Structures are given as structure tokens and as C-alpha cells.
Amino acid sequence: MTEQHMQSAGTWLDDFVGYVKQAIEIIQLKEDAIDRVRDDEDAFTMGLVIIVLGGIGAAIGSLMPFGLVMFPVLYLVGAFVFAAIVHLMATMVFKGEGEFIDFFRPYSLAHVLTWVNVIPILNMVLGLIAGLWMLAVAVICVERNYSLDRPQAIATVAIPVVTLLVLAMMMFAVLGVAL
């Protein structure tokens, strides 16, 4: 490896560590960190890396080798779909003003919470706690990005989550009856 490659790898790693530190500030609900990341174009790429690492960690924590490919893809798709639904709710239902990408940047970095899934056995409980906290982070990101008040931001996140839970329960009920 040439010295130039080593320097660029070191710079990338330094940048990554810096974004992880910002992610920790975001999950602490520090509004200035959310605002700073929202306007940082490089945060998008690092957010994708953090999401993928969360998927890899989930595969490791669940001891599923085939998940090393499948989980990162599922995490990425899930993050984009949820963010898109939230964006549509915020802009179309609650008439908030903001860009999808500006919401996605801090939201994607907050996926550092999913890294708890790397811990075998405890990952079920820790993942649930992290998922619930992720919803709280999403509410603050919505509030900051779309200039919505807190009740509107809560509804923006809660409505799709509750809808998906109801649909999942209905699906399991139908499957239970069919079996």
C-alpha cells in the first residue's frame, strides 16, 4: 500500500470516527448536532456506512452467516422506506417544509443505535430498546427538519409505525387462521 493510500485511508477513518461522534450527539437529542448534520452533504455517505454496519452487526449477533449480505440490504431498504414514508407524512399530511435528504442525514447517523444488535443473546432486548429510542430520535429529526411542532412530529412518526404494527398483527392473525 502506498503512503498516499495509507493517508487517504487514515483520513477516511478519521472522518468516520468524527461522524460516529456526531451520531452519538444525535442520539443524545442534541439539536445543534442534528442541524449541523442535516446540512452536511458528506453525512449521507457516512450514514449509509453506519446503517450497513448495523446490518452486519445484526447478522453477527444473531449468528446467521447468510445475514451478512441480507441484513445490511434489509437495513438500508428499511431505513429508506421509513424515511420516505415519514417525509411524505411530514410534507403532505402536516404541510411541513423540508427536504428528504436533510431528514435522512441525521436519521441515518442515528442508526448507530442498531450496533447493539451485535451482542448475542442480549440483542433482542437491546434491539427493542434501541428501536424505541430510534423513534424518539426520528421525532426530533422530523421536528427540526420540517419545522413541525412536537405533537405533529410525534404523529408523523407514530402513524406509520402503528399502521405497520396493525398490518403485521392482521397478517399474523390470517396466517394463524390459515395454519
Side-chain angles (χ1 to χ4, degrees):
M1 188 179 254
T2 67
E3 185 175 330
Q4 182 181 7
H5 284 112
M6 288 176 59
Q7 286 178 343
S8 63
T11 302
W12 187 90
L13 185 59
D14 291 340
D15 289 347
F16 177 73
V17 169
Y19 280 101
V20 170
K21 289 178 181 177
Q22 289 186 76
I24 291 168
E25 290 181 14
I26 289 168
I27 64 173
Q28 293 173 341
L29 305 180
K30 293 184 178 178
E31 293 177 350
D32 61 322
I34 293 169
D35 294 343
R36 186 173 55 250
V37 168
R38 180 181 64 208
D39 299 327
D40 181 355
E41 291 181 13
D42 294 332
F44 177 79
T45 303
M46 288 300 179
L48 296 179
V49 170
I50 286 173
I51 293 169
V52 166
L53 289 174
I56 292 169
I60 292 168
S62 61
L63 307 173
M64 295 183 180
F66 67 88
L68 289 172
V69 174
M70 186 177 70
F71 285 8
V73 171
L74 289 174
Y75 273 49
L76 280 171
V77 169
F80 275 110
V81 168
F82 182 75
I85 292 169
V86 166
H87 173 73
L88 292 173
M89 288 289 298
T91 56
M92 296 177 89
V93 175
F94 294 104
K95 305 299 183 210
E97 294 186 17
E99 298 295 321
F100 170 84
I101 193 71
D102 294 340
F103 166 72
F104 190 79
R105 288 178 187 132
Y107 171 71
S108 66
L109 286 183
H111 277 76
V112 73
L113 284 166
T114 65
W115 292 3
V116 299
N117 288 321
V118 75
I119 304 169
I121 301 169
L122 294 177
N123 60 358
M124 295 277 262
V125 173
L126 293 176
L128 178 63
I129 293 167
L132 292 172
W133 190 250
M134 188 73 169
L135 295 175
V137 173
V139 166
I140 303 304
C141 290
V142 165
E143 186 179 41
R144 302 295 301 165
N145 188 59
Y146 298 104
S147 302
L148 299 177
D149 59 25
R150 181 73 44 92
Q152 289 175 319
I154 291 170
T156 298
V157 173
I159 290 170
V161 170
V162 170
T163 302
L164 288 174
L165 288 174
V166 168
L167 289 172
M169 287 190 295
M170 288 174 24
M171 183 183 75
F172 285 123
V174 168
L175 286 175
V177 169
L179 294 175

